[in-house]
Amino acid sequence: MNILGIETSCDETAAAVVRDGFKVDSNVVASSLKEHAAFGGIIPEIASRRQIESIHSVVSQALDQAKVTLKHIDAIAVTAKPGLIGSLLVGVSFARALAYAAKKPLIEVDHIQAHWYACFLRSKNDNRPLPNLPAVGLVVSGGHTSLFDIKNVDRVKLIGKTRDDAAGEAFDKVARLLNLGYPGGPVIDRLAKEGTNDQIRFPRAELQGSYDFSFSGLKTAVLYYTRKHKNFSVKQVAYSFQESVVDVLTDRAILACQRKRVNTLFVGGGVAANSALRERLIQTAEEMDIKVYFPPMSFCLDNAAMIAGLGYRLTKRR
Ligand code: KG4
Ligand code: ZN
């Protein structure tokens, strides 16, 4: 079964063709990220205008690269929520019109759920076995930090979330106050590799009795530190900040696996690309006999393959 996926929830305009819920035959992403960099964050008006300009060619390219036409597509899956409303409207309107004209079923997909589902995606030469459910899902992106108890693709319970900033948002805000530009995650990830000493210890928010997260105190601690120490080392601050985020994310995710008695952990979203988080989770999970799955790098950030993949699984459950 071929599903055409469409994703336009933020600054990416993406389309993909996915076979049987996991085999990615094409994955096209156009991004307006560079245009937002000068503003230090996403400008919704710019994002939706670029979506309108590129949606048609992105969808055409996805079909071409998969060597199919609409005739071979069994259903169209589109991100319905959450996201910037102007951006979402572009994808949803386009998908609805296409589904109506081509007489295909339309499947509405939740973007956050699709982020953990990305662990199931396989590109052309990737023949690794597919993971099993039940699992715990940790979604760490620019807009969300959520923990899910996943019994099945349509039986998912939110068990923890951030009470303030999302993990990716914390990376972006700290990068901004260190004058590192936007987005902050990749540059902090890179700099932290050169600043590996534990001289600075930033706080870890302990929210007793819950799986929730909080990153705004950490961000403020970084701000105060940089004000107080005029000649601080950017690499040290990047490292210590990242360590704090990695500690908290790892603790909560592993705790959830233990309490829910599951030995499968999915990690998804832009922050899942973070090398320190990947390393720590792999190591800790191994010690606890938990199998941790990350999407391949190209499926960590926003993409439409994850939307098509989850869309397939949802139609199968209907
Ligand atoms: O999932 P995503 O592409 O978009 C949302 O749905 O939000 O995530 C974008 C976020 C940004 O905040 C970015 O700074 C962060 O992911 N990010 C990273 C890394 N690469 C991207 N954070 C930490 N380390 C990285 N290597
Ligand atoms: Zn996302």
Side-chain angles (χ1 to χ4, degrees):
M1 208 171 164
N2 286 321
I3 308 287
L4 170 67
I6 295 176
E7 148 68 38
T8 64
S9 65
C10 192
D11 55 321
E12 272 88 20
T13 311
V17 176
V18 175
R19 232 180 319 135
D20 300 334
F22 71 99
K23 212 58 190 160
V24 182
D25 287 331
S26 67
N27 181 42
V28 179
V29 184
S31 175
S32 58
L33 187 66
K34 286 206 179 95
E35 287 180 63
H36 306 275
F39 303 97
I42 302 294
I43 306 296
E45 176 74 17
I46 296 178
S48 50
R49 282 175 185 268
R50 294 297 167 263
Q51 310 269 14
I52 292 172
E53 286 164 10
S54 44
I55 183 91
H56 187 258
S57 77
V58 165
V59 171
S60 302
Q61 283 176 56
L63 293 169
D64 289 349
Q65 287 179 19
K67 299 189 174 55
V68 294
T69 65
L70 269 181
K71 204 171 66 199
H72 306 105
I73 296 295
D74 298 287
I76 297 169
V78 63
T79 302
K81 68 175 172 69
L84 302 173
I85 190 65
S87 289
L88 283 170
L89 267 171
V90 175
V92 170
S93 311
F94 191 91
R96 277 192 187 161
L98 198 59
Y100 179 75
K103 298 190 174 59
K104 308 285 177 188
L106 181 74
I107 315 152
E108 297 195 343
V109 175
D110 183 301
H111 178 92
I112 307 180
Q113 303 302 327
H115 266 308
W116 63 254
Y117 185 81
C119 294
F120 284 87
L121 298 176
R122 299 288 178 263
S123 335
K124 198 165 174 239
N125 296 319
D126 182 354
N127 296 316
R128 288 173 300 143
L130 296 181
N132 290 320
L133 292 173
V136 162
L138 171 68
V139 175
V140 272
S141 71
H144 303 273
T145 301
S146 313
L147 258 183
F148 297 102
D149 179 12
I150 306 161
K151 301 273 188 261
N152 215 322
V153 286
D154 58 352
R155 276 180 65 209
V156 181
K157 194 172 157 202
L158 177 71
I159 54 173
K161 61 179 183 341
T162 181
R163 295 194 185 169
D164 38 59
D165 293 344
E169 191 180 355
F171 271 95
D172 295 336
K173 287 180 173 169
V174 165
R176 193 174 181 173
L177 67 91
L178 296 175
N179 281 323
L180 298 174
Y182 177 85
V187 55
I188 290 185
D189 190 351
R190 185 165 40 78
L191 285 174
K193 290 197 177 101
E194 298 165 33
T196 50
N197 107 28
D198 276 321
Q199 272 168 2
I200 317 168
R201 188 175 163 86
F202 290 125
R204 279 90 173 128
E206 303 272 350
L207 302 171
Q208 296 297 340
S210 103
Y211 295 111
D212 283 355
F213 305 90
S214 166
F215 296 107
S216 71
L218 168 61
K219 176 190 65 192
T220 310
V222 175
L223 174 68
Y224 287 166
Y225 182 90
T226 56
R227 277 191 189 157
K228 197 169 160 198
H229 302 84
K230 288 286 171 235
N231 295 319
F232 68 87
S233 152
V234 174
K235 291 171 186 172
Q236 282 310 325
V237 171
Y239 170 78
S240 302
F241 158 75
Q242 183 175 272
E243 279 299 284
S244 172
V245 176
V246 168
D247 272 0
V248 171
L249 293 176
T250 305
D251 279 5
R252 290 286 137 83
I254 298 291
L255 181 70
C257 289
Q258 290 173 319
R259 295 237 176 104
K260 300 290 169 192
R261 296 180 200 285
V262 299
N263 57 8
T264 303
L265 172 64
F266 297 141
V267 190
V271 184
N274 185 269
S275 53
L277 179 66
R278 290 173 96 97
E279 221 170 88
R280 178 82 63 80
L281 273 172
I282 290 169
Q283 189 195 338
T284 315
E286 198 178 295
E287 287 161 15
M288 303 288 171
D289 235 1
I290 294 165
K291 203 152 173 32
V292 58
Y293 293 87
F294 293 91
M297 285 297 190
S298 54
F299 304 131
C300 283
L301 297 173
D302 287 351
N303 67 85
M306 64 185 192
I307 305 300
L310 181 55
Y312 167 84
R313 294 286 284 263
L314 293 171
T315 42
K316 284 292 187 193
R317 309 274 320 167
R318 275 183 190 164

